Amino acid sequence: MTQVIDLFAGAGGFSTGFRKAGFAITKAVEFDASIAETYIKNHPGTKMIVDDIKNVDQTNEFSHNEAEVIIGGPPCQGFSMAGARNRDGFMGDPRNYLFKHYFNIVKKVKPKVFIMENVKGLLSMSKGEIFREIISIFSDKERLDGDSYTLYSRVVKAVEFGIPQKRERLIIVGVLNKENVNFAEIWEETKRKIKVSDKNFFDNVTLADAISNLPLPTENGIIDAPEPKTNYEKELFKEGKIYNHIKRHHSKKVLERLSKIKTGDNFKSLNENIKSIHSGSYGRMSWDEPTMTITTRFDTPSGGRFTLPDQDRTLTAREAARVQSFPDDYRFYGNKTSVNKQIGNAVPPKLAYFLANFIDNILKEY
């Protein structure tokens, strides 16, 4: 079984998709203990290292060739807008330490393949200098003791992988010491193979397809698993109890605002000055469309278009997890703020499953 290390593991979205595809996640790193708890309880077979990656980098935790794949995405806040002009500017900038330590662990382990996930804005940061510098660092034989990675990058849209949200992310894949990799052909072949085993995998999925079988939220957030009605619900269905289905109790003023907003509309329907940086603030979703990107503020009306089409409330954590494609038996631990962060920042497991199959097909040609 192919062994994988998950850096910046979060709640485990990336790992969940890779596990489903048959990979073994041997180790994971997550610095937030409350988030790590969710990972540990859902991935009991993985060694979780709860620490800052800069500390982990200084230990002997990782060794050469211990895993064939490294996955994870250093948070983009670590990338400065300058410093790519000289050789040590980018790597020497302390604001980029998250990326630096990701690189150091890749250098130490030398996996055959690594995959990074990040916001697509990374492509345009500092007029593209940051992205180009990342590509050059992993291609630099001097930095990698004579080795180098051939890089492939692509912006992926969640809706194109049968996920009911308009999430877009940049993925960067590196293959060790192999120059002629036809990434585009392997990508298309991966799609063809998945369609053979699951003809509905890439179907367009709406909000209704994703959550319409869920009952009303409960005070303790626990419900019996409802019978799935759609192909998407069948994919995520697990018998037994489902957790995290608790609604947020909005203030009277917020409820009054929500009552005035129709499906597809937002704060512009209100005759008042709403101070929000989000253009979709107080937006009401539509049943027959995917959602906007699930963020860490999916339970806040002013945070975006997260209000249900037919109820004056925002998404529950369970509903947001469904939209993110987590299986129904995936339970999130911690306080509300932590759980929202875990779900909003996760790599959708269904997208991760596709990427795992893509990596598997690359390894077969290695």
Side-chain angles (χ1 to χ4, degrees):
M1 194 177 282
T2 304
Q3 298 192 325
V4 180
I5 293 167
D6 190 349
L7 305 177
F8 308 98
F14 228 153
S15 288
T16 300
F18 269 73
R19 271 181 63 190
K20 185 178 179 183
F23 289 72
I25 318 299
T26 54
K27 294 177 183 175
V29 178
E30 171 54 47
F31 83 101
D32 187 315
S34 66
I35 295 175
E37 181 187 6
T38 290
Y39 188 104
I40 291 165
K41 289 183 174 175
N42 289 281
H43 301 267
T46 299
K47 179 181 179 182
M48 167 55 76
I49 303 158
V50 187
D51 201 349
D52 192 313
I53 197 165
K54 70 180 179 184
N55 299 328
V56 179
D57 184 14
Q58 305 305 314
T59 68
N60 294 319
E61 183 60 61
F62 297 109
S63 60
H64 184 64
N65 282 345
E66 73 168 86
E68 292 175 273
V69 181
I70 286 180
I71 61 178
C76 62
Q77 293 92 328
F79 301 131
S80 68
M81 302 304 283
R85 294 177 186 81
N86 60 68
R87 180 172 174 79
D88 295 314
F90 181 83
M91 290 290 268
D93 189 328
R95 291 171 294 182
N96 296 324
Y97 83 93
L98 295 171
F99 171 81
K100 178 180 179 179
H101 295 299
Y102 179 98
F103 173 82
N104 286 347
I105 293 169
V106 168
K107 179 180 178 178
K108 186 180 292 185
V109 177
K110 291 283 176 69
K112 289 180 179 177
V113 182
F114 74 81
I115 182 164
M116 283 176 59
E117 183 262 3
N118 224 293
V119 294
K120 71 170 186 174
L122 184 63
L123 287 170
S124 55
M125 274 185 188
S126 200
K127 297 182 180 178
E129 278 188 77
I130 302 300
F131 174 72
R132 288 191 293 274
E133 182 70 0
I134 288 171
I135 297 298
S136 71
I137 286 168
F138 281 107
S139 308
D140 189 337
K141 290 189 175 184
E142 285 186 43
R143 290 188 185 274
L144 288 161
D145 306 321
D147 295 307
S148 68
Y149 283 90
T150 299
L151 281 294
Y152 174 70
S153 63
R154 188 177 187 123
V155 172
V156 293
K157 299 179 180 181
V159 290
E160 294 178 359
F161 297 87
I163 301 165
Q165 66 169 309
K166 299 173 184 176
R167 189 185 200 94
E168 294 184 62
R169 285 294 186 270
L170 171 68
I171 60 134
I172 301 172
V173 178
V175 181
L176 183 66
N177 297 333
K178 191 169 175 64
E179 294 182 6
N180 299 314
V181 183
N182 194 330
F183 289 104
E185 185 177 297
I186 297 171
W187 187 274
E188 293 305 316
E189 179 62 19
T190 302
K191 289 172 74 172
R192 284 193 293 271
K193 285 182 177 179
I194 289 177
K195 276 184 181 178
V196 170
S197 59
D198 181 357
K199 66 181 187 343
N200 301 116
F201 187 90
F202 299 99
D203 288 356
N204 292 327
V205 182
T206 65
L207 177 65
D209 293 329
I211 69 169
S212 61
N213 74 327
L214 287 171
L216 291 173
T218 60
E219 286 301 314
N220 64 4
I222 305 172
I223 58 172
D224 291 318
E227 281 298 313
K229 300 175 182 175
T230 66
N231 288 320
Y232 185 80
E233 290 168 351
K234 288 173 186 173
E235 279 185 58
L236 307 183
F237 175 73
K238 302 288 181 183
E239 287 187 1
K241 300 290 183 183
I242 296 179
Y243 294 82
N244 307 112
H245 194 41
I246 306 174
K247 73 176 181 179
R248 178 168 180 176
H249 293 285
H250 303 299
S251 68
K252 185 177 179 181
K253 184 164 189 173
V254 167
L255 289 172
E256 285 177 4
R257 287 172 176 166
L258 294 180
S259 70
K260 299 173 184 175
I261 296 171
K262 297 176 181 177
T263 297
D265 289 347
N266 58 22
F267 72 96
K268 293 176 183 177
S269 300
L270 302 170
N271 190 24
E272 56 180 303
N273 184 24
I274 300 293
K275 294 181 179 179
S276 174
I277 59 170
H278 200 286
S279 61
S281 179
Y282 281 91
R284 195 179 284 279
M285 299 178 289
S286 300
W287 282 124
D288 58 357
E289 295 178 5
T291 71
M292 303 307 291
T293 299
I294 296 296
T295 69
T296 59
R297 300 184 67 211
F298 63 76
D299 71 339
T300 307
S302 62
R305 191 178 296 277
F306 300 127
T307 302
L308 263 68
D310 56 0
Q311 296 177 52
D312 292 337
R313 65 170 180 86
T314 46
L315 291 164
T316 68
R318 185 77 266 150
E319 289 165 338
R322 274 272 187 96
V323 172
Q324 276 279 60
S325 74
F326 277 95
D328 283 346
D329 62 348
Y330 209 94
R331 185 175 177 182
F332 299 88
Y333 296 83
N335 62 33
K336 180 176 71 69
T337 301
S338 177
V339 167
N340 289 3
K341 187 177 178 182
Q342 292 170 39
I343 297 170
N345 286 339
V347 175
K350 192 174 180 188
L351 173 59
Y353 175 78
F354 174 86
L355 295 174
N357 279 273
F358 176 57
I359 298 303
D360 190 45
N361 288 329
I362 290 174
L363 289 171
K364 283 175 182 173
E365 298 197 5
Y366 206 89

